[in-house]
Structures are given as C-alpha cells and as structure tokens.
Amino acid sequence: MCLAIPGKIVSITEEDAINRQGIVDFEGIRNSVNLSFLPEATNGDYVLVHVGFAISQINEEHANSVFETLREMDELEDLKEESP
C-alpha cells in the first residue's frame, strides 16, 4: 500500500521552479522534500508527501487527524526508525 504522510513546511531551501526543495517536519522528523508540484506552498503550510514529493496542500486539522490515526496504528514509530 502506498501512503502519503502529512508534514509541515519549516523552511524552503531552494526556490528554483523545477528543483524547489524544502524541509518538512513530520511530527519531529525532518526531511528534505521536493516542493515543485506545489509552487504556492509556503513556510507553515501542511502538505501530503509521497516518496519525497509534496503532492497536495492540506489544512492543519486534516494533518492532525492523519497523525492521530498513525499513532493508533503504531505507525509513527516505524517512521522514526526509517528516518535517516
């Protein structure tokens, strides 16, 4: 199963339209994410990330709902173990 994970953009590190990159916080885990598909996304926005690409903007309520579901499934610990 493929799953997109919500995260909050904490910084945008590259503004180039094709290689737009940012740091996204996934409940304490921070990773570099490609933001090219979401040129309107800014710091503080919540996005859904799949295989390193932000694919959709979401609101904070939706992000928190997904994180609560992941907590109930004990999947957040798996994310922390997989983080580089």
Side-chain angles (χ1 to χ4, degrees):
M1 174 172 71
C2 295
L3 182 66
I5 305 295
K8 182 178 183 179
I9 299 173
V10 294
S11 68
I12 296 176
T13 58
E14 178 64 51
E15 287 290 347
D16 179 289
I18 295 176
N19 297 311
R20 191 164 188 255
Q21 296 286 319
I23 301 298
V24 175
D25 185 295
F26 303 94
E27 289 281 289
I29 301 166
R30 291 184 176 197
N31 283 322
S32 180
V33 170
N34 187 302
L35 301 171
S36 298
F37 296 149
L38 302 174
E40 69 284 358
T42 62
N43 288 338
D45 287 347
Y46 284 84
V47 293
L48 285 177
V49 178
H50 178 66
V51 294
F53 287 84
I55 58 173
S56 180
Q57 280 185 255
I58 59 173
N59 62 38
E60 183 176 5
E61 182 179 327
H62 185 203
N64 289 333
S65 173
V66 172
F67 276 122
E68 183 59 34
T69 300
L70 290 172
R71 276 188 214 94
E72 289 172 5
M73 297 170 44
D74 289 327
E75 294 293 321
L76 283 179
E77 290 306 313
D78 290 343
L79 290 176
K80 290 179 183 177
E81 292 171 9
E82 293 173 11
S83 180

